[in-house]
Amino acid sequence: MLSYETPKITGMRVIPVAGRDSMLLNIGGAHSPYFTRNLLILEDSAGHIGVGEAPGGETIQHSIEQARELVINQSIGKLRSMVSSLQCAGRNADFEDFGKGSWTFELRINAVAALEAALLDLMGKFLGVPVAELLGNGKLRDSVDVLGYLFFVGNGHDTPLDYRRGTEGLGHDWYRLRDEAAMTPQRIVEQAQAAQDRYGFKDFKLKGGVLAGEQETEAVTVLHKTFPDARTTIDPNGAWSLNEAIQLCNNLHGVIAYAEDPCGAEHGFSGREILAEFRHATGLPVATNMVATNWREMAHALMLRSVDIPLADPHFWTLSGAVRVSQLCQDHGMTWGSHSNNHFDVSLAMFAQVGAAAVGRTTALDTHWMWQEGDSRLTRNPPQIIDGKVAVTDAPGLGIEIDMKQVEQAHAIYRKLPVGGRNDAMAMQHLIRDWRFDPKRPALTR
Ligand SMILES: O=C(O)[C@H](O)[C@@H](O)[C@H](O)[C@@H](O)C(=O)O
Ligand SMILES: [Mg+2]
């Protein structure tokens, strides 16, 4: 009789970390000078380290902590039951919080994804295969397309907040430009040109929900004229009314490849119903990370045909869930993509592995990495964006090696911050006194 020595989990650490950011504007306000994340590090009896990354904040940090009693001394072979135990523990609370208006980056499901990533990292290292090989139909591509994620940027240097003033010594204009205000179509084009020159992006997304709709559609139109071959989109995070979105986007045929959350719930109709009406009225493909973010919402979105491109971020779908969304997309004639928030390089590796395993038609993945790259890393050799792609090699696990010195530095930065979670209203109040979030109004139209 053969005996199998499957490694057991011997150690677990949850480390809140922070890194630098620019004053990126969006409907929720303005990014603070620092973004926060939670890093999970597992160790097994074979001496391997497995890592996973989740959004910052105490709710997620404590949810990951709950995994400790589920995983310590367990065989990594129990990956699926460990993940589903943690998932069941947080499910109802998530629905409740979401119903009260929480953002996806505040949900406990993100903790489940970090656990799954770290376990898959260990399993991949044990079996000698990349994580993509352990998802869906296995690894389908050697690189994943990512888009250049453009933002209107506030003048953070006019506030008392400690915004970065360029990253020295990296030898490209992008690292200066990303910290300067960008409030006009011309500045957005300059941002895109510098980012393309640095990372080779073929596709772009402009974050809207900041200025009046006409100004934002003008910016995306100028962007398209400058990069006519790019798949370009605009995402106002549901700031426009249905009528406004139809009016604005009917002028964007041939300009945008798809519209991302152009409008959302209104007058008692759900965001899924409103996006279905938008889609019917304009004939434009619709992407979302707001109205089909879990299986229950997805079922309704499918019945209504609200969405063409679900942006299945592995952080709030889990890695296996995001790949399962790609399978659903393939069966229902949809295209798979992924949403992102600011993140470190562990998350970049998670996106890349999921993107390499996604089946069917895919669109370039969102990533905020260009805003962090060069001065915020947790691994020795972060995945690179070259020619608008992230390579996915056959290196085992997530294909990254954690750099504990960097982790400690990022943790020290975190410890100096007044709050752990993301609060875009706080920074925005330095631009507009007493500013308050309104899900139906662009941030600067007050
Ligand atoms: O400001 C941001 O970083 C973005 O608005 C995100 O928070 C948001 O989730 C975005 O990435 C999106 O696609 O909606
Ligand atoms: Mg979006």
Side-chain angles (χ1 to χ4, degrees):
M1 165 115 170
L2 291 170
S3 83
Y4 295 95
E5 285 292 327
T6 314
K8 283 192 164 51
I9 295 161
T10 52
M12 168 174 154
R13 289 176 72 188
V14 187
I15 308 177
V17 282
R20 303 305 310 247
D21 202 3
S22 309
M23 195 182 207
L24 307 182
L25 303 178
N26 68 101
I27 193 167
H31 289 206
S32 301
Y34 297 90
F35 71 101
T36 64
R37 304 287 282 178
N38 280 299
L39 178 70
L40 168 64
I41 305 183
L42 296 179
E43 215 173 318
D44 71 15
S45 51
H48 293 137
I49 300 286
V51 289
E53 183 183 327
E58 285 82 8
T59 307
I60 294 176
Q61 183 187 344
H62 296 149
S63 302
I64 307 178
E65 283 290 355
Q66 282 178 2
R68 188 178 302 278
E69 58 182 23
L70 302 170
V71 303
I72 294 294
N73 283 328
Q74 292 294 334
S75 151
I76 62 167
K78 292 208 172 153
L79 187 160
R80 297 264 58 105
S81 24
M82 290 187 272
V83 170
S84 75
S85 304
L86 190 63
Q87 185 153 13
C88 290
R91 186 172 292 157
N92 289 339
D94 265 359
F95 277 126
E96 231 168 79
D97 288 356
F98 212 29
K100 289 182 198 141
S102 281
W103 297 87
T104 48
F105 58 76
E106 293 166 317
L107 301 176
R108 289 158 188 78
I109 185 73
N110 290 281
V112 179
L115 175 64
E116 190 193 28
L119 289 170
L120 284 166
D121 195 16
L122 289 178
M123 183 65 92
K125 284 173 176 156
F126 175 55
L127 297 173
V129 294
V131 163
E133 206 49 68
L134 304 173
L135 296 166
N137 297 349
K139 187 177 153 199
L140 300 175
R141 29 189 103 73
D142 292 328
S143 66
V144 170
D145 293 336
V146 293
L147 53 69
Y149 198 160
L150 311 172
F151 280 80
F152 291 103
V153 183
N155 188 354
H157 306 138
D158 259 5
T159 72
L161 301 174
D162 170 30
Y163 282 101
R164 188 174 56 188
R165 290 173 184 270
T167 310
E168 297 285 318
L170 294 172
H172 195 284
D173 221 25
W174 166 248
Y175 300 103
R176 173 188 59 79
L177 202 78
R178 70 181 173 183
D179 291 333
E180 292 180 2
M183 295 305 298
T184 61
Q186 193 44 40
R187 296 293 282 171
I188 292 294
V189 165
E190 281 166 26
Q191 199 184 88
Q193 283 167 328
Q196 196 208 35
D197 192 66
R198 172 66 188 87
Y199 303 103
F201 294 119
K202 309 270 187 298
D203 300 318
F204 293 103
K205 156 169 163 176
L206 174 63
K207 172 56 58 180
V210 178
L211 305 172
E214 294 75 16
Q215 286 171 279
E216 296 190 344
T217 50
E218 185 198 337
V220 81
T221 305
V222 177
L223 191 64
H224 167 71
K225 285 194 180 131
T226 316
F227 298 95
D229 298 329
R231 271 169 70 75
T232 297
T233 186
I234 179 154
D235 173 17
N237 282 112
W240 304 332
S241 70
L242 173 62
N243 285 342
E244 191 185 7
I246 294 173
Q247 216 177 359
L248 290 168
C249 292
N250 268 336
N251 296 324
L252 295 181
H253 284 272
V255 170
I256 55 173
Y258 56 96
E260 182 171 329
D261 289 307
C263 37
E266 66 181 40
H267 307 313
F269 294 94
S270 73
R272 288 162 292 281
E273 289 164 332
I274 295 296
L275 283 186
E277 290 190 31
F278 170 87
R279 201 173 160 255
H280 189 66
T282 61
L284 282 167
V286 168
T288 187
N289 59 275
M290 297 183 77
V291 310
T293 62
N294 55 54
W295 290 109
R296 187 170 166 188
E297 288 184 346
M298 182 65 86
H300 290 286
L302 263 186
M303 287 187 277
L304 291 163
R305 303 303 303 181
S306 315
V307 177
D308 300 273
I309 311 175
L311 299 169
D313 183 337
H315 297 84
F316 57 78
W317 277 100
T318 72
L319 290 80
S320 50
V323 172
R324 198 177 140 203
V325 173
S326 76
Q327 294 164 332
L328 181 96
C329 288
Q330 190 181 38
D331 293 340
H332 290 263
M334 300 188 291
T335 297
W336 181 86
S338 177
H339 148 279
S340 87
N341 280 305
N342 292 101
H343 58 86
F344 280 98
D345 33 349
V346 173
S347 279
L348 184 60
M350 288 162 61
F351 284 126
Q353 294 290 335
V354 167
V359 300
R361 203 167 46 225
T362 61
T363 192
L365 274 58
D366 285 17
T367 167
H368 285 56
W369 185 238
M370 68 188 207
W371 299 97
Q372 271 65 60
E373 192 271 325
D375 67 4
S376 295
R377 70 177 168 87
L378 303 177
T379 71
R380 288 189 193 285
N381 293 303
Q384 305 276 314
I385 303 177
I386 298 172
D387 286 336
K389 294 174 193 300
V390 177
V392 183
T393 67
D394 284 335
L398 288 171
I400 46 176
E401 195 192 336
I402 207 75
D403 182 336
M404 282 316 290
K405 208 165 144 223
Q406 289 291 124
V407 172
E408 273 149 31
Q409 269 176 26
H411 179 58
I413 298 177
Y414 176 89
R415 289 184 53 156
K416 290 203 186 117
L417 301 179
V419 285
R422 176 174 166 182
N423 178 0
D424 289 12
M426 183 282 293
M428 187 53 119
Q429 283 159 1
H430 287 279
L431 295 184
I432 299 180
R433 228 173 134 213
D434 297 329
W435 184 92
R436 294 247 177 293
F437 166 62
D438 178 341
K440 303 306 284 180
R441 264 170 98 183
L444 293 181
T445 60
R446 300 285 196 275

